[in-house]
Amino acid sequence: MRGTPAGMPSPHPLGGQLPAVYADDDFAQRFVEGLDVVLAPLFNVLDCLESYFTPALAPEDFVDWLTTWVGTELDGTEPLATRRRAVATAVSLHRVRGTRRGLSESVHLAFGVRPEITESGGATWSARPLGPFPGASRPGLRVTLRVRDPSATDPHRLHAVVAAARPAHLPFTAEVAPLLSPEGI
């Protein structure tokens, strides 16, 4: 929650803008100085408004608000750098939402690891009609996140990220698994 920072001068003091009859009135000058204290942060925000909408420069609490504006799939526990990156890349992620690339980018942004994605679909070409259909007969999507310590990764969070970024028509499973050893075991 923002408050009034101590010692912030107003760039437009009201005392100098009062009619001449109040220029020497001590009460009127002290009264409007109280208003200057209230208005100084407002003027400061308006003067720096562009910075509030630049993820790299915005204050931390405003970055959290921006994450809700742009529809990021964050839960608020991520480091500040991740939240800033999520806001900055939101438009490009929305552009590829529902695609394999978009799903991979969303999981990578949330967990810092690229997932393994297995899809049931496929595409093929045939010179003859009624050729075999590619892919599996049942639609499905499987996302596996391989990490060093699976117990430290929230599987419900992975499920929520995949549910938000997957193609809408595909049923899916999401799992957290340990890293494979170099031998593949």
Side-chain angles (χ1 to χ4, degrees):
M1 196 76 171
R2 296 192 179 278
T4 304
M8 180 181 285
S10 175
H12 307 287
L14 296 175
Q17 298 177 23
L18 292 176
V21 70
Y22 296 109
D24 292 331
D25 186 348
D26 184 51
F27 174 76
Q29 292 297 321
R30 284 184 294 128
F31 181 78
V32 296
E33 279 180 24
L35 295 174
D36 286 339
V37 170
V38 173
L39 292 175
L42 176 67
F43 288 132
N44 186 40
V45 167
L46 290 176
D47 287 344
C48 303
L49 191 59
E50 182 181 338
S51 298
Y52 278 76
F53 296 101
T54 304
L57 302 175
E60 183 174 354
D61 60 335
F62 202 80
V63 169
D64 294 336
W65 197 26
L66 285 175
T67 61
T68 63
W69 282 15
V70 297
T72 61
E73 302 302 330
L74 302 177
D75 63 1
T77 60
E78 295 83 2
L80 179 60
T82 300
R83 290 179 281 162
R84 289 185 191 279
R85 192 170 57 251
V87 171
T89 61
V91 171
S92 62
L93 277 178
H94 286 305
R95 229 179 255 137
V96 293
R97 189 179 202 126
T99 65
R100 182 184 186 104
R101 178 176 155 218
L103 177 59
S104 178
E105 291 293 328
S106 294
V107 172
H108 182 258
L109 181 64
F111 295 97
V113 177
R114 296 266 177 212
E116 294 174 8
I117 299 173
T118 308
E119 302 175 77
S120 62
T124 189
W125 178 88
S126 175
R128 296 182 319 181
L130 302 175
F133 287 108
S137 61
R138 292 184 58 206
L141 174 69
R142 181 179 194 86
V143 178
T144 305
L145 188 65
R146 296 203 178 272
V147 294
R148 290 192 193 283
D149 183 13
S151 63
T153 303
D154 183 8
H156 300 291
R157 178 83 183 110
L158 176 62
H159 187 273
V161 170
V162 172
R166 70 183 167 97
H169 66 284
L170 280 181
F172 72 97
T173 58
E175 67 177 353
V176 179
L179 284 173
L180 296 175
S181 65
E183 296 85 34
I185 298 173

